[in-house]
Amino acid sequence: MRTEICRDGAEFGRLGEWWASLYARCSTATPFQSHSWLHSWWVSYGRPGALRVVLVRREDGELVGAAPLMRARGPLPVLVPLGGAITDFTDVLLDDACPEAVPALARALARAARGAVVDLREVRPGAAAERVHACWRGSRRRLTDSLCLELPAVPMDALLERIPSGKAQRVRAKLRKLDALGIDEHIVTGEEVPAAVERLLKLHQLQWQGRGVTVEHTSDRFAQHLARAVRPMVERGDAMVTEFRLAGDVVAADLTLMSPRLAGGYLYGADPMLRARKVDVATMLLRHGARQTSASGRATLSMLRGTEPYKQHWRPETVPNQRLLLAGRGGAGLLWLRAGAAYGRRWAARQARERAWVGRALRRGLGRTNRGGGGG
């Protein structure tokens, strides 16, 4: 094994074919570890001098391990994964057929950190990074991170069996209404991607207008990132863009990211006129995703991060992401400081949620009292 650190963005871009080969040989990889996604993210969001992509090669030059990292902003030395807040899963890549790549990557990461903490956020259970964490010789911690919701990759009829019969009947009625409207599904080809992504983002902003859209999703750098990343991902089978058309007009669009094991709906947009016509867009998208994912042989239909109520209707499995903290010699104190700060933020967020819940409960109680409820 020989190791190296890529610090140059242009050099990172030239790793595309090597990276794609390794990605195909890492069974736990998600679409967020594809070269198209990561390099495009770096072009849009990276900072000069911060790139630290750790590579492990065999003697013949074949890439067998990779950790796409960068130096984080701030006073403390920390290495974090590429992808940032717009990436639902982060991980390293390891060749399934090369077990010796695991300790080699761990040693290379320790040298790259040199007193810094390696802070791997949003690591999915079973990810390759767990193997590095398991053989790490320095200080290490494992924390919980965001919650994700997952469904089995089965057709819509099987998903309907997961919910109460009365609710299932209402969903079937919604699906019959969709079919009666005559909404067509068009899966976008690679050459159609740029225009389709532009339409998707416009529909997304229109859908959330006046309702608190995620600000980053409206930024130019996000639009440029998607336009750059999605076409090669579609052409390699790592993504699918679908447009839903009514009387020839695109009224909704969806971007789903895919790996051999899972597919996840990443971003969608819908014309508000669909709500006015009582179209259940979430059900429309879920039926499409269930059909495509089950037909492709994937095991999991992921709803990605977030536990929004509309997702809970389908009784999904809650799967917590992990946060893996690694530090080499001399970095134990910094690791504990980083872990303590994470615990503090989680505690503060939990307290805020509890106070908000108590406030809502008190307001409801006062409302009943003012209306004469509660006896007495």
Side-chain angles (χ1 to χ4, degrees), residues 13-324:
R14 291 190 290 270
L15 287 173
E17 292 304 317
W18 293 101
W19 197 280
S21 177
L22 173 59
Y23 175 81
R25 288 179 276 117
C26 182
S27 59
T28 59
T30 76
F32 298 106
Q33 281 74 62
S34 69
H35 185 267
S36 298
W37 182 269
L38 292 171
H39 181 255
S40 176
W41 182 90
W42 174 256
V43 172
S44 284
Y45 294 89
R47 293 181 292 108
L51 190 64
R52 302 287 190 277
V53 180
V54 182
L55 306 171
V56 179
R57 296 183 184 273
R58 289 198 305 249
E59 288 186 356
D60 61 2
E62 188 71 48
L63 194 62
V64 293
L69 304 174
M70 63 178 287
R71 281 269 183 175
R73 293 183 185 273
L76 301 178
V78 179
L79 293 179
V80 298
L82 303 185
I86 65 170
T87 294
D88 289 72
F89 303 126
T90 68
D91 200 3
V92 301
L93 292 178
L94 289 166
D95 188 333
D96 293 337
C98 187
E100 58 268 32
V102 180
L105 183 59
R107 291 192 297 269
L109 279 173
R111 289 193 297 271
R114 294 191 183 278
V117 170
V118 179
D119 188 352
L120 304 178
R121 300 283 313 262
E122 307 298 357
V123 175
R124 194 168 181 267
E130 288 186 336
R131 294 155 65 190
V132 174
H133 185 268
C135 74
W136 189 260
R137 293 188 176 182
S139 301
R140 59 183 181 172
R141 290 296 307 275
R142 186 193 301 260
L143 309 177
T144 57
D145 218 330
S146 300
L147 297 180
C148 300
L149 298 179
E150 295 184 353
L151 290 168
V154 295
M156 192 66 175
D157 287 342
L159 290 180
L160 287 170
E161 294 175 0
R162 301 172 62 88
I163 61 179
S165 59
K167 187 177 291 186
Q169 288 177 2
R170 290 192 291 274
V171 172
R172 290 190 179 96
K174 293 176 180 178
L175 293 173
R176 287 194 294 270
K177 183 173 184 176
L178 278 171
D179 294 335
L181 281 173
I183 296 179
D184 297 321
E185 300 175 1
H186 169 67
I187 297 177
V188 171
T189 64
E191 63 183 14
E192 297 173 324
V193 164
V197 167
E198 184 176 351
R199 286 191 291 267
L200 186 158
L201 290 172
K202 287 180 179 177
L203 285 168
H204 183 73
Q205 292 184 37
L206 191 62
Q207 166 195 344
W208 288 99
Q209 194 168 30
R211 297 194 296 146
V213 66
T214 301
V215 175
E216 186 56 37
H217 291 167
T218 67
S219 70
D220 289 339
R221 64 180 182 178
F222 181 73
Q224 292 164 5
H225 161 62
L226 286 189
R228 194 167 39 240
V230 172
R231 178 169 183 171
M233 293 179 75
V234 165
E235 292 172 343
R236 286 185 178 271
D238 298 328
M240 178 174 62
V241 179
T242 306
E243 293 189 328
F244 299 83
R245 298 173 177 175
L246 181 60
D249 296 326
V250 178
V251 294
D254 171 75
L255 169 60
T256 295
L257 304 184
M258 303 181 297
S259 67
R261 291 190 176 187
L262 64 82
Y266 181 72
L267 190 74
Y268 75 92
D271 193 315
M273 59 82 65
L274 292 177
R275 288 201 306 270
R277 299 185 68 164
K278 307 298 184 185
V279 172
D280 190 327
V281 174
T283 298
M284 178 180 74
L285 296 176
L286 183 64
R287 178 172 68 172
H288 172 71
R291 182 190 303 128
Q292 295 295 328
T293 307
S294 59
S296 66
R298 294 176 172 87
T300 301
L301 177 58
S302 175
M303 297 179 174
L304 303 182
R305 290 179 297 176
T307 57
E308 295 85 350
Y310 78 90
K311 298 179 181 179
Q312 300 286 358
H313 294 327
W314 300 94
R315 297 187 174 180
E317 180 186 359
T318 301
V319 180
N321 282 346
Q322 307 164 87
R323 183 174 185 173
L324 305 181

Side-chain angles (χ1 to χ4, degrees), residues 368-369 372-376:
R368 285 193 293 271
T369 302

